[in-house]
Amino acid sequence: MSGPGAAGPGQEDLPGSEQGLTSPESGPPERTAEAALRPRRLDEFVGQQVVRDQLSLVLDAAAARGRAPEHMLLSGPPGLGKTTLAMIIAAELSAPLRITSGPAIQHAGDLAAILSSLDEGEVMFIDEIHRLPRPAEEMLYIAMEDFRVDVVVGKGVGATSIPLDLPPFTVVGATTRAGLLPAPLRDRFGFIGHLDFYSPQELREVVRRSAVRLEVDLEDSAGIEVASRSRGTPRIANRLLRRVRDWAQVRGSGRLDLAAAQEALRVYEVDERGLDRLDRAVLAALCGRFDGGPVGLSTLAVAVGEETETVETMVEPYLVREGFLLRTARGRAAAPAAWRHLGLEPPAGEEGTAPMLGRF
Ligand SMILES: Nc1ncnc2c1ncn2[C@@H]1O[C@H](COP(=O)(O)OP(=O)(O)OP(=O)(O)O)[C@@H](O)[C@H]1O
Ligand SMILES: [Mg+2]
């Protein structure tokens, strides 16, 4: 079911992968459902206390000075609230919001067109900013620092560039891969907020609020169950909640109780640690086919029939954080917990694998 034009110019959809229920990314049909559950103000935004405090300081200071705040960068795995925060920033500033993304800007000219039409104080949100083409990136450096854009008029030898002053505005960039951002771009952000996975308690609060918005009757036990199986990710928590609601309405009593939550999650193959089919496929390949590794990321991705980037951004961070997977100097390796999770015995003697780096 890939609707025409769903991916836009940037081809953002994952090739060939049906998005699993616990995939941290959201497909086009889901975005509307998500939009309805997005917190709109900073004080409705659950968790991420550190980033929230820092952000509110930046915003308050800007308000006190009556000026546009400095450019802000939000980084972290998919589904943790970067887009939500960007919208909140604009709302808190009562500023208009312009939304674009790295892949949507194919030429520097696309960016010049947006920049030259910005109003004073406008917030320009650039999603997936690590995917901006190089010439656009260079244009952005100048725009961010000097509030100027060089507009090229004409073509070939007759082309001339006309400098155009821009009103003060604020770039809010979002990236799932902060490591890919070139230093000169990173340095132009006055504030960098890194979002981390949410605790089960925070997700429980996310789910509780979403249930109120969805006008469903959620028992606390069911909320806890959903929260604990959501891979630390609000997007997944909300998605699981909607599937539990489906189950309760179609097969249950309409009430979202523990039994409904457990049954729905069983139907959708989300296990008690929140791992879905792809997560388990990665662990199974690692422990089975590669004897626990270490194995290169791209080899592992091929083994499960996925893009390397999908495994790297959507699967790996949570498996590492939960202590199932280890990043070693020679590749990815299975931790003892991975074997046990699959119902297997970790190999004797080695406690899992060879050189471990930074397991925590
Ligand atoms: N702190 C939060 N409190 C409540 N709900 C949240 C929070 N963060 C995210 N959400 C919910 O999760 C959904 C996904 O968040 P969002 O789209 O902001 O993620 P993202 O970081 O931009 O992901 P991606 O990298 O895939 O673009 C939102 O629609 C919102 O409903
Ligand atoms: Mg986003």
Side-chain angles (χ1 to χ4, degrees):
M1 272 213 324
S2 59
Q11 295 289 325
E12 290 175 49
D13 277 344
L14 302 162
S17 74
E18 49 171 280
Q19 291 183 330
L21 190 66
T22 59
S23 143
E25 300 234 311
S26 58
E30 217 201 341
R31 298 210 180 109
T32 335
E34 265 184 11
L37 296 176
R38 256 184 223 292
R40 314 227 170 263
R41 307 302 296 215
L42 206 50
D43 59 10
E44 293 170 29
F45 192 85
V46 178
Q48 308 294 346
Q49 188 69 44
V50 175
V51 173
R52 231 168 357 118
D53 284 351
Q54 295 169 338
L55 207 53
S56 87
L57 210 60
V58 172
L59 295 175
D60 289 349
R65 283 187 223 114
R67 288 220 217 114
E70 286 187 53
H71 307 300
M72 298 177 241
L73 180 67
L74 303 168
S75 78
L80 298 195
K82 298 180 295 297
T83 300
T84 305
L85 271 183
M87 292 179 167
I88 288 176
I89 289 170
E92 295 287 341
L93 292 167
S94 308
L97 175 68
R98 190 80 61 101
I99 301 178
T100 184
S101 76
I105 294 172
Q106 294 186 331
H107 309 283
D110 299 340
L111 182 64
I114 300 174
L115 288 170
S116 56
S117 66
L118 286 175
D119 286 327
E120 176 159 355
E122 195 155 355
V123 172
M124 178 180 180
F125 175 50
I126 311 179
D127 210 355
E128 296 191 78
I129 194 167
H130 60 276
R131 289 170 69 182
L132 271 182
R134 187 50 54 92
E137 207 173 83
E138 279 160 14
M139 175 181 282
L140 190 62
Y141 296 162
I142 301 173
M144 288 170 76
E145 193 150 285
D146 302 334
F147 295 98
R148 176 170 64 83
V149 63
D150 293 319
V151 182
V152 179
V153 185
K155 280 208 164 128
V157 275
T160 44
S161 104
I162 303 173
L164 187 72
D165 284 333
L166 302 175
F169 66 99
T170 301
V171 172
V172 177
T175 179
T176 46
R177 321 205 38 207
L180 292 185
L181 272 199
L185 181 55
R186 214 172 31 231
D187 292 347
R188 280 166 172 83
F189 289 97
F191 169 75
I192 300 183
H194 182 76
L195 304 189
D196 211 341
F197 290 111
Y198 291 66
S199 70
Q201 291 71 25
E202 289 164 345
L203 290 180
R204 186 174 156 191
E205 179 59 17
V206 169
V207 167
R208 199 188 59 74
R209 290 178 187 218
S210 298
V212 172
R213 288 214 183 166
L214 292 172
E215 298 180 0
V216 293
D217 200 359
L218 175 74
E219 278 188 11
D220 211 27
S221 55
I224 292 172
E225 190 71 11
V226 167
S228 67
R229 296 209 209 175
S230 299
R231 301 167 107 260
T233 308
R235 171 177 292 143
I236 298 177
N238 283 336
R239 194 187 294 157
L240 294 182
L241 175 68
R242 297 197 300 271
R243 297 296 76 80
V244 172
R245 174 190 60 177
D246 293 349
W247 194 94
Q249 287 174 351
V250 176
R251 306 230 177 117
S253 62
R255 224 183 133 59
L256 279 63
D257 55 18
L258 184 59
Q262 287 173 337
E263 253 326 284
L265 295 170
R266 192 185 59 75
V267 169
Y268 287 103
E269 300 186 294
V270 178
D271 70 24
E272 61 295 342
R273 295 293 295 273
L275 306 195
D276 70 2
R277 225 196 286 179
L278 179 57
D279 299 316
R280 287 192 299 269
V282 167
L283 294 183
L286 202 52
C287 296
R289 203 154 150 191
F290 302 111
D291 286 330
V295 59
L297 182 66
S298 48
T299 312
L300 189 58
V302 169
V304 296
E306 274 297 344
E307 298 280 307
T308 305
E309 193 180 332
T310 306
V311 175
E312 189 174 16
T313 59
M314 290 168 42
V315 178
E316 188 175 80
Y318 193 70
L319 294 182
V320 169
R321 135 121 182 195
E322 290 296 286
F324 290 118
L325 190 139
L326 307 164
R327 286 197 188 105
T328 76
R330 288 184 295 139
R332 273 57 178 179
W339 304 84
R340 291 197 203 100
H341 190 70
L342 298 172
L344 305 167
E345 271 296 306
E350 298 180 74
E351 251 306 277
T353 47
M356 295 186 188
L357 293 183
R359 180 175 173 214
F360 56 93

